[in-house]
Amino acid sequence: MQRHRIATRLGVLALLGGGLVPLAAAPAGASPGCVDETAPGILQNGCDDSTPPETTLTPSTTPNAAGLVTVSSMTFTLAWQVSDGDPGPFGLECRLTGGPQAHDWRACTSPVTYADLPDAAAGTYVLEARAVDTGDRARTPDTSPALPPTVPDTPDEDPTPATFTWGQDTTAPFVFVTGTSYDETTPTQPVVTGAGVPIRINSSEPGSRFECTDNDLPVACAGGRWELPDPAAGRHRFSARTIDAAGNASAWSEPIEFFVPRNLTRQRGWKKVTDPGYFRGDAVKASRRGARLVLPRTTVGELRLLASAGPRHGKVRVRVGRRDWHVVNLSGPRTAMKQLVVIDRYSGLRTGRIVIESLSAKPVVLDAVVARPNRFPAATRDSGR
């Protein structure tokens, strides 16, 4: 940027000794590079400091990639910079756009704070700050009483104010999680026999993302109707939360519970059979009396069999540990998979291996087993998550 001192070359007349004597042109002014607008001499135009100070602005909080912050108070550190040795004095002016605290240019000091700002639901906030050469602003370079004005007075404030734009969202969204699996026998802990578990997840704020856990382990998920793919056998507790564009996170949802059966695999006396209607696409089949399936030791309060039924199908008997046998008749209308409650959830707990035995040479097709306690521990979540 350039500073210049302009000396006029106009001829003037002066009255000396009672006579009119023509004078030479006024002496040239100082060399270009003035740093202030000092008063000119009688036969000189003034000096215009045409290089205003520059402005820096640093916010207390940096917006995220969406341009949003989650705080309602913003503090800004402001400063001016000069490169020509101008001693000043200098000052600062600020202008805020957006919200009820908006104001036009006015003097401000660093740091400047705007507190209790409401969320900018309809747009964004914009703060502009400019440094001002307050010493030069009050002066005009053309003040010679004997010369016509020839020096323009350029602005004495930063013509390119430092600008900061941000959006604000301090309100956490709400998450809504609904399990859509149906189980008439245990509606609050349904048995799920599909390839995936259908769950509906929604947020109170459009555009929010979701975080989900299954048995407290993170799983990828999506909003709307979504399915947890290929869940492992056993009890599941699913929970979710939503995070809006600003980064505000909702509380974790109350867990929804469901249970996935244990798929049966071939043992001695049984062979594998396949059908799209079976749980996981396969089952085991026996056609001789005394063929046994033995499952690992477990605690059972409710026991169900998923089995294929048919007019010529036989019977099996089931027990847990050393307790009584329970006979299950698989004869009936043909169906690929049918849920049969062997021990209901009100019969008390028992512990031991589950033994299933064929009672005749008639074919029996067994698909999966539901073996779970009839009292479920409370689903809890670490409050610090």
Side-chain angles (χ1 to χ4, degrees):
M1 290 183 287
Q2 180 183 10
R3 296 179 178 78
H4 44 263
R5 180 180 299 274
I6 304 174
T8 127
R9 300 188 179 276
L10 299 176
V12 296
L13 296 177
L15 181 61
L16 294 175
L20 294 177
V21 180
L23 295 181
S31 60
C34 57
V35 296
D36 60 19
E37 297 176 2
T38 55
I42 295 177
L43 298 180
Q44 286 184 322
N45 281 317
C47 176
D48 179 61
D49 180 359
S50 61
T51 305
E54 296 181 349
T55 318
T56 62
L57 181 156
T58 304
S60 58
T61 302
T62 302
N64 65 6
L68 298 169
V69 300
T70 59
V71 295
S72 61
S73 178
M74 292 288 286
T75 297
F76 300 90
T77 301
L78 310 176
W80 55 77
Q81 293 180 340
V82 292
S83 57
D84 59 355
D86 188 342
F90 302 103
L92 294 164
E93 293 180 338
C94 298
R95 177 167 65 182
L96 180 67
T97 303
Q101 297 186 37
H103 60 81
D104 205 347
W105 289 110
R106 68 187 185 192
C108 57
T109 57
S110 181
V112 59
T113 296
Y114 295 92
D116 300 321
L117 294 169
D119 286 357
T124 57
Y125 289 101
V126 180
L127 176 69
E128 297 172 273
R130 64 187 182 189
V132 181
D133 188 333
T134 55
D136 288 349
R137 177 180 272 185
R139 298 170 180 164
T140 301
D142 280 323
T143 56
S144 172
L147 299 174
T150 61
V151 180
D153 188 9
T154 55
D156 296 308
E157 63 274 349
D158 189 347
T160 57
T163 303
F164 184 80
T165 302
W166 77 100
Q168 178 181 303
D169 182 358
T170 61
T171 304
F174 295 97
V175 68
F176 307 94
V177 179
T178 306
T180 58
S181 300
Y182 176 73
D183 187 330
E184 183 178 0
T185 304
T186 54
T188 58
Q189 293 99 16
V191 172
V192 178
T193 58
V197 181
I199 300 172
R200 187 172 293 278
I201 312 171
N202 289 297
S203 173
S204 61
E205 292 189 25
S208 296
R209 60 186 178 91
F210 299 92
E211 291 182 349
C212 300
T213 61
D214 178 32
N215 287 342
D216 293 327
L217 296 177
V219 293
C221 59
R225 190 186 186 280
W226 169 82
E227 284 196 0
L228 176 68
D230 195 26
R235 178 185 181 228
H236 290 256
R237 293 164 296 157
F238 179 89
S239 188
R241 70 176 181 175
T242 181
I243 302 172
D244 64 20
N248 298 299
S250 72
W252 286 93
S253 68
E254 287 297 319
I256 61 170
E257 297 192 27
F258 55 91
F259 194 90
V260 178
R262 177 192 179 98
N263 197 29
L264 294 175
T265 57
R266 184 177 63 84
Q267 296 183 23
R268 179 178 295 182
W270 298 80
K271 67 177 182 178
K272 179 179 177 179
V273 292
T274 60
D275 188 286
Y278 295 149
F279 177 70
R280 298 291 190 263
D282 60 33
V284 291
K285 180 179 180 180
S287 298
R288 70 175 180 83
R289 182 184 179 89
R292 282 192 170 190
L293 293 171
V294 181
L295 306 184
R297 180 183 178 87
T298 188
T299 299
V300 178
E302 179 189 20
L303 181 64
R304 302 186 198 182
L305 281 184
L306 276 65
S308 177
R312 298 181 180 275
H313 285 204
K315 298 177 181 179
V316 296
R317 63 178 184 173
V318 184
R319 74 177 181 182
V320 179
R322 299 292 181 178
R323 304 291 289 268
D324 296 339
W325 289 97
H326 299 263
V327 177
V328 181
N329 186 0
L330 301 179
S331 177
R334 189 173 303 278
T335 179
M337 182 175 63
K338 182 178 182 179
Q339 287 196 47
L340 301 160
V341 177
V342 180
I343 301 172
D344 66 41
R345 64 187 311 185
Y346 306 105
S347 300
L349 292 174
R350 61 210 73 194
T351 301
R353 293 185 174 184
I354 300 172
V355 181
I356 306 172
E357 183 179 294
S358 174
L359 293 179
S360 70
K362 291 184 177 181
V364 289
V365 179
L366 302 181
D367 196 351
V369 170
V370 174
R372 58 181 177 175
N374 58 358
R375 295 182 179 88
F376 298 96
T380 59
R381 175 170 295 283
D382 183 354
S383 60
R385 291 194 59 179

